Amino acid sequence: MIKKTLQTLSTCTYIIQKLNIVITGKTGSGKTFLACALGNSACRHGYTVKYYRIPELLLEIQDAKNENIYIASL
C-alpha cells in the first residue's frame, strides 16, 4: 500500500486536486527525505515548491493573520 501511495503522489495529481500532504512520524523515520522527494517530483512536473518546517509555517500563518492578508505561496 505504501509503495502504491508513493507512486500516486509522485504523479503530482494531489496538486491538481489542490490537496495537501502532511507527513508525520518519529525522529529519523525519513519525513524530510520524503518531503524533498515529493518536492523534487513536483519541480520536475513544472511546479514551484516551498518547504516549511512547522515552526516557520506557523509564523507565516500568524503574520498573515495579524496583517489580515493571505500569501499566495501558502
Side-chain angles (χ1 to χ4, degrees):
M1 176 166 174
I2 292 173
K3 184 176 180 180
K4 184 174 179 168
T5 301
L6 291 177
Q7 287 173 334
T8 302
L9 289 173
S10 71
T11 66
C12 296
T13 55
Y14 68 94
I15 297 172
I16 296 166
Q17 297 170 349
K18 298 184 180 188
L19 299 173
N20 297 311
I21 297 174
V22 177
I23 303 169
T24 63
K26 295 181 180 181
T27 302
S29 63
K31 298 178 301 291
T32 300
F33 180 84
L34 180 57
C36 289
L38 292 172
N40 189 307
S41 178
C43 287
R44 291 175 185 260
H45 282 89
Y47 294 100
T48 301
V49 174
K50 191 162 188 178
Y51 174 85
Y52 283 101
R53 292 181 60 233
I54 288 295
E56 292 89 12
L57 178 61
L58 294 176
L59 287 173
E60 288 276 341
I61 292 170
Q62 186 62 49
D63 288 345
K65 184 178 176 183
N66 290 342
E67 296 176 20
N68 202 26
I69 59 169
Y70 295 94
I71 300 171
S73 65
L74 287 178

